[in-house]
Amino acid sequence: MATKRLPELLTRVRTELDRVMAFWLRHSHDQEHGGFFTCLGRDGAVYDELKYVWLQGRQVWMYCRLYRELPRFRTPQILEAAKKGGEFLLRHARVSADSPKCAFVLTRDGRPVKVQRTIFSECFYVLAMSELGRATGDAKYTVAAKEMMSQIVRWVREDPSGLGRPQLSGATPDSSLAVPMMLLCLLEQMEEASEEGEGAVGGGDGNAELGRWCVDRILKHLQRGGSVVLETVTPDGEELPGSAGRLQNPGHAIEAGWFLLQRASRLGDAALARTALASFVDVPFSAGWDPQHGGLLYFLDADGLPPTQLEWSMKLWWPHCEALIAFLMAFRETRETRHLDSFTRVLDYSISKFSDADHGEWYGYLDRQGSVTHTFKGGPFKGCFHVPRALYMCEKMLADLTDASKASG
Amino acid sequence: MATKRLPELLTRVRTELDRVMAFWLRHSHDQEHGGFFTCLGRDGAVYDELKYVWLQGRQVWMYCRLYRELPRFRTPQILEAAKKGGEFLLRHARVSADSPKCAFVLTRDGRPVKVQRTIFSECFYVLAMSELGRATGDAKYTVAAKEMMSQIVRWVREDPSGLGRPQLSGATPDSSLAVPMMLLCLLEQMEEASEEGEGAVGGGDGNAELGRWCVDRILKHLQRGGSVVLETVTPDGEELPGSAGRLQNPGHAIEAGWFLLQRASRLGDAALARTALASFVDVPFSAGWDPQHGGLLYFLDADGLPPTQLEWSMKLWWPHCEALIAFLMAFRETRETRHLDSFTRVLDYSISKFSDADHGEWYGYLDRQGSVTHTFKGGPFKGCFHVPRALYMCEKMLADLTDASKASG
């Protein structure tokens, strides 16, 4: 019986989460300026002091979430570091006091170095502020989250001009999967934070409408009769020409899968749950899993051509994190053994290839054959987020499933 | 004797150039709109119709250069395709009629899709127009080249605000090796084009002053007592902190090496020639050549850490092209056998790993072990340029060296 495996899996996941968090707690705190160092070498040594706003926001969120959800992480050290990270973002994330636009990367002491013409720095700012509001009970963080959320929704749905992207006559209007995924993630966060019913978090007529818009937009990326999830389509859900139109990112599709599954669960929408499982989890996993060397490929072209991205055949840590969450959530929903088998397969691959037994945390980047290409534990795009988020969510699900199987056993 | 090898090397290089050019002549011409398709699969099939301005400009330059310099390429077909490419750029490269700023990528029919906040699209526009002016004798192309060159020099040396980059308080002023290299390349082109003495091609007090500025800026990238060429330094030639400050790109340094060697030869500057050979060719080649698998690594960190670029350990075609030119030029200057040995080593690696015996042209991207990761022959950054430029320059040098050795033999 599949449930026999659950206690052992729970122990593995819990142990790994402790080892991962010990790494960040020990090496990443900037005691002088607040916030976190995230460019950390194999042993935790800081190799670059730049502070990437995505990663600052994500680490604040992660610390607060663990503080609230898992009793062994409910420590003053964790809350204090999260608050210092939140205050660093409040003081420094915005490029100027009169603009909502956040920097992409800051100096150690908080001066802006680069700005992206996208919404993502602002999204991780919202995630941080919302969860910090929940962990501390301090309304100023919650207000900051809501204000920025409203701004993001306006940029996405009403007027993108504040993002600073030029309008060019040859640029086909397009929809990037990341945008509705990110908004759905934020909506889920804000709804959880205000379960008591504080009303709409963004523009339009409230949460439900925004949620429908996000789901509808995500589903438009399902193309070719449901056989492929494409990263970029037209806003009406048509395929775009060229390499960009054919691009698949299996890990991203799988992440969208568990976002949709979570939404379907909230709404009690069985049809949406089936689509999420079949088309956003099973299909991209089958397409993306390397039959020769194992592991999820980073990018694919829907026509089987080589993607133009140089790193397409590498194995990155985060798609594996998303797959862990998605398959365990799929098992929780369906109790089909095959989903627990897939979870175990991804966990075995991840622990054996990414996890560093000596210093804790996971490596982020492997070549196609599965050898580590970058020995650092944190970098411009890898911080304290995907690994502990996956492990914490899996620990919670495995604990619930173990309890349930005991109760029924 | 080293010169014994020259005739055989000349034959190999000439044969390879013919195979490479046959590929582009057959597959890349857009008969309907002018310009070139550059996203070409292994067999030449177009997999994306986008037109990257860098690659349009480079192909026009390459066609005109071959037309002018090698009699077997002096064909109406080549001149006609170059002119249609030049006209396509004149009509469509600029984002708007009242701005000098060029797009980075255009639709097949010439509408702008993306703009970069750098000078490089404009630089390849200059290269195209200048050489097209020489090949056709039509002054309108030469005028277009000179006008854009003046604009580029103003952006780089006087006022970058027209490039559209925001000024941010945390962004340390920096000097990217690409900028003075590119200007020196353009200056060399413009000086060649106006050997009859039409005077200065840019701002300041003329060509000589601009040339000194470029050389001086390039030399500032030589750091740590001449042991390393860094991609980015401060404008005063100080090392920058973090990963960006430690970044090395051996192929780029080697390309700068032969640019400097060419300049030293023009100026009769023996000290500059020695620095170019020792510090910009020999040192980066030793640092970048993979002792285990052969081939030049794409990026290195000066402290031996992993660069954050995901593709750092891949083997790209173009650094090998630059090394071919640099080592043959080094041999021509010094007649030291070791330089011809290095040339042969790089040629053997390149022909065996990059060249496609079935369809012609070179693959662009190998993994560290030397296996092809991307089967296409052209992509967003690979067109009809580095391979034929290296082969044409090497053919010319080998022919001259062969003649010289016959004359002295």
Side-chain angles (χ1 to χ4, degrees):
Chain A
M1 228 177 95
T3 50
K4 275 198 179 163
R5 277 183 272 163
L6 295 172
E8 183 242 330
L9 290 170
L10 175 57
T11 303
R12 284 178 75 188
V13 164
R14 186 188 284 142
T15 307
E16 192 65 21
L17 178 58
D18 288 346
R19 288 165 35 75
V20 165
M21 287 309 299
F23 179 89
W24 295 102
L25 289 165
R26 180 157 176 199
H27 300 295
S28 70
H29 299 183
D30 181 356
Q31 300 296 354
E32 193 177 332
H33 296 280
F36 305 98
F37 298 116
T38 60
C39 290
L40 302 177
R42 189 187 167 200
D43 61 359
V46 177
Y47 66 85
D48 198 321
E49 294 183 344
L50 287 175
K51 290 181 173 157
Y52 292 86
V53 170
W54 294 21
L55 304 190
Q56 300 296 315
R58 284 165 162 180
Q59 190 157 355
V60 170
W61 178 86
M62 193 72 243
Y63 275 34
C64 293
R65 181 56 66 100
L66 290 173
Y67 179 86
R68 286 201 315 102
E69 294 264 338
L70 295 179
R72 70 187 187 279
F73 293 108
R74 198 174 185 89
T75 69
Q77 185 204 11
I78 286 182
L79 187 63
E80 197 52 39
K83 282 202 296 202
K84 285 173 87 172
E87 290 298 325
F88 183 86
L89 284 174
L90 278 179
R91 265 198 314 280
H92 302 300
R94 294 181 181 211
V95 173
S96 69
D98 56 351
S99 162
K101 197 77 197 73
C102 291
F104 174 67
V105 56
L106 304 164
T107 57
R108 182 182 172 188
D109 60 1
R111 288 169 294 128
V113 178
K114 279 186 194 158
V115 182
Q116 285 187 323
R117 296 176 286 185
T118 62
I119 58 168
F120 302 110
S121 288
E122 294 78 7
C123 288
F124 293 112
Y125 176 98
V126 169
L127 216 55
M129 293 303 152
S130 171
E131 194 69 12
L132 190 57
R134 297 169 83 183
T136 61
D138 188 335
K140 79 170 175 181
Y141 300 120
T142 310
V143 170
K146 286 188 181 182
E147 284 177 359
M148 187 65 87
M149 179 74 180
S150 301
Q151 176 62 64
I152 293 168
V153 173
R154 281 197 299 277
W155 278 329
V156 171
R157 301 190 63 184
E158 292 167 29
D159 178 11
S161 61
L163 296 173
R165 282 197 293 261
Q167 300 296 304
L168 297 167
S169 63
T172 317
D174 62 23
S175 165
S176 166
L177 181 58
V179 171
M181 277 176 67
M182 196 71 233
L183 284 191
L184 187 59
C185 171
L186 294 184
L187 182 65
E188 194 72 27
Q189 168 72 28
M190 306 289 272
E191 284 181 338
E192 276 179 41
S194 61
E195 291 290 21
E196 296 77 29
E198 297 175 31
V201 294
D205 49 285
N207 299 355
E209 191 277 334
L210 179 60
R212 282 193 301 274
W213 182 88
C214 292
V215 170
D216 182 56
R217 276 288 174 119
I218 293 171
L219 293 177
K220 286 190 197 303
H221 290 260
L222 191 55
Q223 294 285 324
R224 303 187 180 191
S227 66
V228 62
V229 178
L230 298 178
E231 274 296 289
T232 316
V233 294
T234 73
D236 297 332
E238 300 294 320
E239 198 170 323
L240 286 159
S243 293
R246 293 190 300 268
L247 187 68
Q248 296 170 268
N249 179 330
H252 212 207
I254 291 168
E255 185 180 18
W258 72 257
F259 285 9
L260 289 175
L261 202 53
Q262 207 172 33
R263 193 78 195 161
S265 179
R266 176 180 285 274
L267 301 173
D269 185 337
L272 181 60
R274 279 194 300 276
T275 300
L277 275 174
S279 302
F280 285 81
V281 179
D282 286 343
V283 167
F285 185 76
S286 299
W289 189 261
D290 186 342
Q292 195 181 354
H293 303 287
L296 281 164
L297 296 160
Y298 190 17
F299 291 113
L300 294 172
D301 177 291
D303 286 349
L305 300 170
T308 55
Q309 286 78 6
L310 299 198
E311 64 275 26
W312 78 267
S313 59
M314 291 178 71
K315 312 288 165 67
L316 272 64
W317 86 105
W318 68 261
H320 299 82
C321 296
E322 303 312 330
L324 289 174
I325 300 169
F327 283 121
L328 203 54
M329 208 179 268
F331 176 70
R332 189 182 64 182
E333 295 297 310
T334 66
R335 303 293 161 111
E336 288 179 35
T337 305
R338 68 187 181 95
H339 292 308
L340 197 64
D341 292 343
S342 296
F343 170 80
T344 309
R345 185 180 183 189
V346 177
L347 185 68
D348 288 346
Y349 179 89
S350 300
I351 300 282
S352 68
K353 299 289 188 182
F354 289 110
S355 182
D356 177 7
D358 294 330
H359 298 279
E361 241 296 313
W362 291 15
Y363 301 113
Y365 306 94
L366 314 177
D367 65 17
R368 184 165 192 168
Q369 290 74 28
S371 299
V372 174
T373 54
H374 297 68
T375 51
F376 54 69
K377 299 294 173 46
F381 293 94
K382 180 173 188 289
C384 177
F385 185 62
H386 289 96
V387 181
R389 178 175 73 166
L391 294 170
Y392 129 76
M393 288 182 70
C394 290
E395 180 180 325
K396 292 272 289 183
M397 286 190 278
L398 286 165
D400 290 348
L401 286 164
T402 306
D403 289 348
S405 80
K406 275 188 205 143
S408 69
Chain B
M1 227 180 92
T3 51
K4 275 199 178 161
R5 277 183 273 164
L6 294 173
E8 183 241 330
L9 290 170
L10 175 57
T11 303
R12 284 179 75 187
V13 163
R14 186 188 283 142
T15 307
E16 192 65 21
L17 178 59
D18 288 346
R19 288 165 36 74
V20 165
M21 287 309 300
F23 180 89
W24 295 101
L25 288 165
R26 180 158 178 198
H27 300 296
S28 71
H29 299 184
D30 181 355
Q31 300 297 354
E32 192 177 333
H33 295 280
F36 306 97
F37 297 116
T38 59
C39 289
L40 302 178
R42 187 186 168 200
D43 61 0
V46 177
Y47 66 84
D48 198 320
E49 294 183 343
L50 287 175
K51 290 181 175 157
Y52 292 86
V53 170
W54 293 22
L55 304 190
Q56 301 295 315
R58 285 165 161 179
Q59 190 157 354
V60 171
W61 178 86
M62 193 72 243
Y63 275 35
C64 294
R65 181 56 68 102
L66 290 174
Y67 179 85
R68 286 199 318 101
E69 293 263 340
L70 295 179
R72 70 186 187 279
F73 292 109
R74 199 175 185 87
T75 70
Q77 185 204 10
I78 286 182
L79 187 63
E80 197 51 40
K83 282 202 295 201
K84 285 172 87 171
E87 291 297 324
F88 183 86
L89 285 174
L90 278 179
R91 265 199 314 279
H92 302 301
R94 294 182 181 211
V95 174
S96 69
D98 56 352
S99 163
K101 196 78 196 73
C102 291
F104 174 68
V105 57
L106 304 164
T107 57
R108 181 182 172 187
D109 61 0
R111 288 168 294 126
V113 179
K114 278 186 195 159
V115 182
Q116 284 188 323
R117 295 176 288 186
T118 63
I119 59 167
F120 302 110
S121 288
E122 294 77 8
C123 289
F124 293 112
Y125 176 97
V126 169
L127 217 55
M129 292 303 151
S130 170
E131 195 67 13
L132 190 57
R134 296 169 84 183
T136 60
D138 188 336
K140 79 169 174 181
Y141 300 122
T142 310
V143 169
K146 287 187 181 182
E147 285 177 359
M148 188 65 87
M149 180 73 181
S150 300
Q151 176 62 65
I152 293 168
V153 172
R154 281 197 298 277
W155 278 329
V156 171
R157 301 189 64 185
E158 293 167 28
D159 179 10
S161 61
L163 296 173
R165 283 198 292 261
Q167 300 297 303
L168 297 168
S169 62
T172 316
D174 62 23
S175 165
S176 165
L177 181 58
V179 171
M181 277 176 67
M182 197 71 234
L183 284 191
L184 187 58
C185 170
L186 294 184
L187 181 64
E188 194 72 29
Q189 168 72 30
M190 306 289 272
E191 283 180 339
E192 276 179 41
S194 61
E195 291 290 21
E196 296 77 29
E198 298 175 32
V201 296
D205 50 284
N207 298 355
E209 192 276 334
L210 179 60
R212 282 193 301 273
W213 183 88
C214 291
V215 170
D216 183 57
R217 276 289 174 117
I218 292 172
L219 293 176
K220 286 190 198 304
H221 291 259
L222 191 56
Q223 294 285 323
R224 302 188 180 191
S227 66
V228 63
V229 178
L230 298 178
E231 275 295 291
T232 316
V233 294
T234 72
D236 297 332
E238 301 293 320
E239 198 171 323
L240 286 160
S243 294
R246 293 190 302 267
L247 187 68
Q248 296 170 268
N249 179 330
H252 212 207
I254 292 167
E255 185 180 18
W258 72 256
F259 285 9
L260 289 176
L261 202 53
Q262 207 171 34
R263 193 77 194 160
S265 179
R266 177 179 285 274
L267 301 173
D269 184 338
L272 181 60
R274 279 194 300 275
T275 302
L277 275 175
S279 302
F280 284 82
V281 179
D282 285 344
V283 167
F285 185 76
S286 299
W289 189 261
D290 186 340
Q292 195 181 352
H293 302 287
L296 281 164
L297 296 160
Y298 191 17
F299 291 113
L300 294 171
D301 176 291
D303 285 349
L305 300 169
T308 55
Q309 286 77 4
L310 299 198
E311 65 275 26
W312 78 269
S313 60
M314 290 178 72
K315 312 289 166 64
L316 272 64
W317 85 106
W318 69 261
H320 299 82
C321 296
E322 304 310 329
L324 289 174
I325 300 169
F327 282 122
L328 203 54
M329 209 179 269
F331 177 70
R332 188 181 63 182
E333 295 296 310
T334 65
R335 303 293 161 111
E336 288 180 34
T337 304
R338 67 187 182 95
H339 292 309
L340 197 64
D341 292 343
S342 296
F343 171 80
T344 308
R345 184 180 185 189
V346 177
L347 186 67
D348 288 345
Y349 180 88
S350 299
I351 300 283
S352 69
K353 299 290 188 182
F354 289 110
S355 181
D356 177 6
D358 294 330
H359 298 280
E361 241 296 315
W362 292 13
Y363 301 112
Y365 306 93
L366 315 176
D367 64 17
R368 185 167 192 167
Q369 289 75 28
S371 299
V372 174
T373 55
H374 296 68
T375 52
F376 55 69
K377 299 292 173 47
F381 293 93
K382 182 174 187 288
C384 178
F385 185 63
H386 290 96
V387 181
R389 178 173 75 164
L391 294 170
Y392 130 75
M393 289 182 70
C394 290
E395 180 180 324
K396 293 271 289 181
M397 287 190 277
L398 285 166
D400 291 347
L401 287 163
T402 305
D403 289 347
S405 81
K406 274 189 206 143
S408 70

